[in-house]
Amino acid sequence: MPAKPSRHLSKTNLLNARSQNLLKALINCYVEEGVPVGSKTLAESAGLKISTATIRNVMAGLDSMGLVSAPHTSAGRVPTNLGFRMYVDSMLEFSPIESAIEGRLKEQLNADQDKDTLINIANNLLSDITQMAGVITLPKSGQLNLRRIEFLPLPDKKILAILVVNERDVQNRIIHVDKDHTQDELVKISNYLNQHFMGQDIFQIRALLMKELHSARSQVDKLMAAAVDLADQALKPDEEGEAYRLQGQANLIRFNSEADNASQLQQLFQIFQNKRDMLGLLDRCIQADDMQVFIGSEAGIDGLEEFSVISAPYGGKENTLGVLAVIGPTRMEYSKVISAVDITARFLSLALGAAE
């Protein structure tokens, strides 16, 4: 069972049992059906032997507290983001995760894979299980020690550099060169680099090679010059600094009718593309060091008013490596999504710990 997400201030203590039961029933109906809930439907769902007039009076009270609203005069009511917040803080009931889902996570998140692969698998699984967008931050790179480097020729004066760093992590980089190199030349270059620099930090290797090239340029043969050039490109840091990965954005298109209009979804995709606001939110999740649920405007990002973000950290107890999260409409099955995020983070943490 997942731990309860961090609580926010709520008005639960201002509601009597009847009001709480009706608010919970209304949210469950709305999550399932996606349309305003009328008094008759609510009475049947709540299982309370009370009149529709009494239900309307209770709804009026909840409306005055900002927990529900009526989109149209003649329509039923829908929960507001504040109503969802109260529901998440005090009304959620968690059930054990489905055995099939747990088995799938156990099977695919195993320690026989490198860190980058495990991170991709976890994000793909979470998006697929929840049918929403998955996002995962990447561990901040510490020292990257070279274990092996190989080069493979590609068409159009390109070379594929394959780096193995820190025992298991594999990185592939495309290098652009001025002239084509034969496979034999590339093997000699990779052998030279592996023989002289295996186990050293890749950024220090690059600096050493560049220093050597500049200090003794006239004495360096063509193969050595080529080795320095290829190593310079293969070992340079990623200027963009990929910080997180997204998966399953297309899943959100099916919720398009529940946003005010298509512009809500367009705004969300714009947030994904610009990255700065999303990075700020994910950084807050990392700093919190426990499960977080942001509903609508709680995220503090313009354009997320109709969406919720549920995150959990992954890594060791003393060493949080990053967070994984789900982004979806505020009308989601919070108990199931929270459980999915929690168990995926735990299995990813176990796999990464065993892989080290």
Side-chain angles (χ1 to χ4, degrees):
M1 302 287 285
K4 281 275 189 174
S6 298
R7 284 177 172 266
H8 295 61
L9 293 176
S10 69
K11 301 180 180 180
T12 312
N13 58 337
L14 301 180
L15 299 181
N16 57 33
R18 174 185 289 172
S19 296
Q20 289 188 44
N21 286 338
L22 286 173
L23 177 59
K24 181 179 179 180
L26 182 142
I27 291 176
N28 288 336
C29 285
Y30 181 67
V31 166
E32 184 175 349
E33 301 295 336
V35 296
V37 184
S39 299
K40 184 177 180 181
T41 301
L42 194 52
E44 295 172 352
S45 176
L48 299 176
K49 295 181 179 180
I50 54 178
S51 66
T52 55
T54 300
I55 291 177
R56 283 193 292 270
N57 288 336
V58 173
M59 288 297 108
L62 295 175
D63 197 321
S64 67
M65 297 174 69
L67 300 174
V68 302
S69 66
H72 309 287
T73 306
S74 59
R77 285 180 166 82
V78 299
T80 62
N81 288 347
L82 186 60
F84 277 123
R85 167 50 59 194
M86 180 180 287
Y87 175 78
V88 168
D89 282 350
S90 58
M91 300 179 185
L92 278 185
E93 296 179 0
F94 292 102
S95 301
I97 199 80
E98 294 178 21
S99 58
I101 292 176
E102 184 172 355
R104 186 179 172 195
L105 289 165
K106 278 183 180 179
E107 179 183 0
Q108 296 193 40
L109 290 174
N110 63 76
D112 293 332
Q113 299 160 106
D114 62 78
K115 183 186 297 182
D116 194 66
T117 300
L118 285 169
I119 286 171
N120 282 333
I121 290 174
N123 203 26
N124 292 343
L125 284 171
L126 186 58
S127 174
D128 188 54
I129 291 168
T130 62
Q131 284 298 290
M132 295 181 190
V135 57
I136 189 166
T137 64
L138 304 184
K140 289 181 169 47
S141 297
Q143 182 166 309
L144 299 176
N145 294 325
L146 181 69
R147 296 303 170 191
R148 185 165 185 80
I149 186 169
E150 294 183 6
F151 299 102
L152 296 175
L154 298 175
D156 302 322
K157 295 182 180 179
K158 295 177 184 177
I159 293 173
L160 173 64
I162 305 171
L163 288 76
V164 181
V165 296
N166 296 347
E167 303 297 344
R168 286 169 170 255
D169 290 345
V170 179
Q171 299 181 13
N172 297 326
R173 301 184 181 184
I174 302 295
I175 295 173
H176 297 265
V177 292
D178 295 330
K179 62 180 286 294
D180 290 322
H181 291 274
T182 66
Q183 180 65 56
D184 184 59
E185 288 176 331
L186 295 178
V187 169
K188 289 180 180 179
I189 291 172
S190 61
N191 286 343
Y192 171 81
L193 294 173
N194 290 324
Q195 181 180 353
H196 288 83
F197 299 105
M198 185 177 67
Q200 296 187 39
D201 180 76
I202 64 172
F203 303 127
Q204 291 180 357
I205 296 171
R206 182 169 176 260
L208 287 171
L209 283 169
M210 293 303 296
K211 182 178 179 181
E212 184 175 344
L213 178 63
H214 292 305
S215 64
R217 183 177 295 274
S218 61
Q219 302 175 24
V220 175
D221 61 27
K222 291 183 179 180
L223 190 62
M224 176 61 182
V228 173
D229 180 57
L230 294 185
D232 177 48
Q233 294 191 60
L235 303 179
K236 71 169 56 175
D238 184 0
E239 295 179 359
E240 297 259 332
E242 183 186 21
Y244 69 86
R245 292 173 184 168
L246 276 165
Q247 180 67 31
Q249 301 97 304
N251 289 333
L252 301 178
I253 294 175
R254 66 192 178 95
F255 295 104
N256 189 30
S257 61
E258 291 139 30
D260 288 342
N261 49 52
S263 66
Q264 289 283 356
L265 206 55
Q266 292 171 355
Q267 280 185 290
L268 178 62
F269 287 170
Q270 191 66 40
I271 293 169
F272 289 158
Q273 185 174 359
N274 291 339
K275 293 191 176 182
R276 185 184 64 181
D277 289 336
M278 186 59 64
L279 278 172
L281 177 61
L282 294 172
D283 188 57
R284 286 163 59 192
C285 296
I286 293 174
Q287 297 300 322
D289 204 31
D290 59 5
M291 287 202 73
Q292 297 290 301
V293 177
F294 296 95
I295 300 174
S297 59
E298 293 173 358
I301 300 176
D302 291 338
L304 278 186
E305 291 81 5
E306 299 296 328
F307 300 91
S308 291
V309 180
I310 298 175
S311 73
Y314 70 86
K317 291 183 178 179
E318 305 298 328
N319 181 29
T320 299
L321 297 176
V323 293
L324 54 79
V326 158
I327 301 173
T330 53
R331 186 186 77 85
M332 66 167 66
E333 293 188 74
Y334 285 93
S335 61
K336 289 187 177 181
V337 176
I338 289 172
S339 293
V341 172
D342 177 68
I343 194 170
T344 304
R346 286 193 281 116
F347 276 117
L348 175 59
S349 300
L350 288 172
L352 290 172
E356 290 181 354

